[in-house]
Amino acid sequence: AAAMVAATGFGLATMASDGFPVRMDDAVRGLVAAAHDRRPLDWRCAEVTPDDVKAGRLCRVGSEAAAPSFVVWGDSHARVMADAIGEAAARHGRSGLLAIRSACAPLPGVRRTDHGARRQCPEFNRAVISAVEARPEIVDVILVGRWALLAEGVRYAHEYGSTVLRADADTGVPSLPENRRVFERSLESTVERLRRAGKRVWIVASVPEVGWDVPSTLARAHRFGRDLQIAPTRRQFLSRQAFVFATLEDLTVAAGITVLRPDTVLCPQTTCAIVVDGRPLYFDGHHLTLHGARLLEPLFESVFSVTSPPDQASGGRTALRRARLRNDATASSTPLAMPSAAIRPVMLSWRA
């Protein structure tokens, strides 16, 4: 493994021209460096086990002077946003706990069919929701996941990887159509349990997926003078998220959740940003760098600016079914959260 890492590092550090290594200029070096603008892969706060949850061994973010009053619960996308959420919380004197396990979406009872028992996602998620229900001092729960992959099962554009199938207790034969049903009913059930326990629920919608490894792709494009446009358009992003957003909007109507939209920051116009101030916002094809995640801090301010206690749970699944029977105009009367904070998308062109 060490040899592979060394070889990869050599390849990125030198690249190649007609078979001979060439040294990087400063711009290429900055693009390549984005691959390391993240928490280390062995960051203990992002590989929480079911036993850790049961024993209360969760990392804290936010103010050191305050008792924990919120939980960030999610997969590797929660991991990359944890620091930004913590910074926003600290400014409001709030502290929270990190319940994060990579490749484990915050959906109790759901398993990936390609995961073995050792991954322990169902056990981890059951432990988290039970712990949150048992702690009345936890008033806010922030759910983070790569929702489109959960619902659709297929990876985006040129992303490498196999199809991802999900299953729960009601699944007969796992399939791509069944993925959507699993996503819908498991998210509904999770929200219903949290709302019944008196928690405010915040769902962070997916960041725009790029489908290319951003640092290495842009570095090579720059090195060889190519005009390469890999940033997704807003239309492409919304098409990818259509089913997920419809489900989330139903939940805002029926269950009183709040949806936080990273795309309102990252792609408020026709094209989504993947580079700002010469620095990539992604360290691969769909995870934000620490630099990219910091741009979302204004989005998380809305979580911690609420001072009133959580209201009582809404009608849950029954109300959700009723919401789906309404016409579009009525159902859309409660909009998704759309903060005004935005950055200007960067169009990529490496030719002088």
Side-chain angles (χ1 to χ4, degrees):
M4 291 179 64
V5 171
T8 301
F10 176 79
L12 287 174
T14 61
M15 302 222 167
S17 177
D18 297 326
F20 294 95
V22 296
R23 296 185 66 83
M24 295 186 294
D25 61 25
D26 289 343
V28 174
R29 189 177 296 107
L31 291 168
V32 170
H36 307 288
D37 184 20
R38 58 178 179 177
R39 287 286 190 171
L41 292 176
D42 60 353
W43 187 38
R44 65 181 182 86
C45 299
E47 284 301 327
V48 176
T49 68
D51 287 341
D52 289 334
V53 177
K54 294 173 184 176
R57 294 190 297 266
L58 300 180
C59 292
R60 287 179 56 169
V61 292
S63 171
E64 296 182 0
S69 60
F70 69 90
V71 167
V72 180
W73 177 14
D75 57 15
S76 58
H77 288 267
R79 165 193 180 139
V80 302
M81 296 180 190
D83 291 280
I85 293 172
E87 289 296 323
R91 285 193 288 273
H92 292 268
R94 298 278 301 277
S95 172
L97 302 172
L98 302 180
I100 301 173
R101 190 164 176 80
S102 296
C104 292
L107 300 174
V110 176
R111 60 181 177 85
R112 276 178 56 161
T113 59
D114 61 332
H115 276 182
R118 292 180 61 184
R119 192 67 210 142
Q120 294 186 299
C121 288
E123 295 84 356
F124 166 73
N125 284 322
R126 282 197 296 269
V128 172
I129 198 165
S130 295
V132 169
E133 288 174 321
R135 297 187 63 168
E137 69 274 17
I138 299 297
V139 296
D140 291 293
V141 179
I142 304 170
L143 303 179
V144 187
R146 192 181 175 188
W147 307 114
L149 181 61
L150 299 176
E152 306 301 338
V154 294
R155 298 182 184 275
Y156 185 71
H158 300 276
E159 180 187 354
Y160 176 79
S162 60
T163 298
V164 177
L165 298 180
R166 309 274 173 169
D168 62 11
D170 295 327
T171 298
V173 178
S175 65
L176 291 179
E178 175 65 5
N179 263 32
R180 287 188 170 189
R181 293 187 284 267
V182 170
F183 167 73
E184 189 176 46
R185 61 182 173 244
S186 60
L187 186 59
E188 292 170 17
S189 174
T190 302
V191 167
E192 184 178 18
R193 284 185 62 176
L194 293 172
R195 295 291 287 121
R196 192 187 306 124
K199 315 300 181 184
R200 271 189 299 260
V201 179
W202 308 79
I203 298 182
V204 182
S206 298
V207 301
E209 300 156 297
V210 182
W212 296 87
D213 184 275
V214 173
S216 62
T217 302
L218 296 187
R220 289 186 175 90
H222 184 88
R223 173 65 187 85
F224 296 111
R226 296 173 182 167
D227 186 1
L228 190 61
Q229 303 289 337
I230 64 171
T233 66
R234 182 164 178 79
R235 183 184 296 273
Q236 290 169 332
F237 168 75
L238 293 175
S239 176
R240 168 75 163 168
Q241 302 292 329
F243 179 80
V244 170
F245 279 1
T247 302
L248 296 180
E249 188 162 0
D250 285 342
L251 284 169
T252 67
V253 175
I257 68 165
T258 302
V259 180
L260 305 175
R261 294 275 298 269
D263 63 294
T264 63
V265 176
L266 299 173
C267 43
Q269 300 178 25
T270 57
T271 303
C272 302
I274 60 175
V275 175
V276 169
D277 297 332
R279 299 172 63 186
L281 304 185
Y282 295 80
F283 66 74
D284 56 16
H286 57 92
H287 289 100
L288 293 176
T289 59
L290 294 176
H291 170 58
R294 286 188 202 101
L295 298 176
L296 302 184
E297 285 186 27
L299 196 70
F300 302 129
E301 290 283 345
S302 60
V303 176
F304 307 112
S305 61
V306 177
T307 57
S308 59
D311 58 7
Q312 293 300 310
S314 300
R317 293 193 185 190
T318 301
L320 182 62
R321 305 303 179 196
R322 286 199 300 267
R324 289 191 178 132
L325 296 177
R326 302 173 189 171
N327 59 45
D328 290 342
T330 302
S332 63
S333 62
T334 303
L336 299 176
M338 303 280 284
S340 60
I343 56 176
R344 182 170 60 85
V346 175
M347 300 299 293
L348 299 176
S349 178
W350 300 115
R351 294 192 185 278

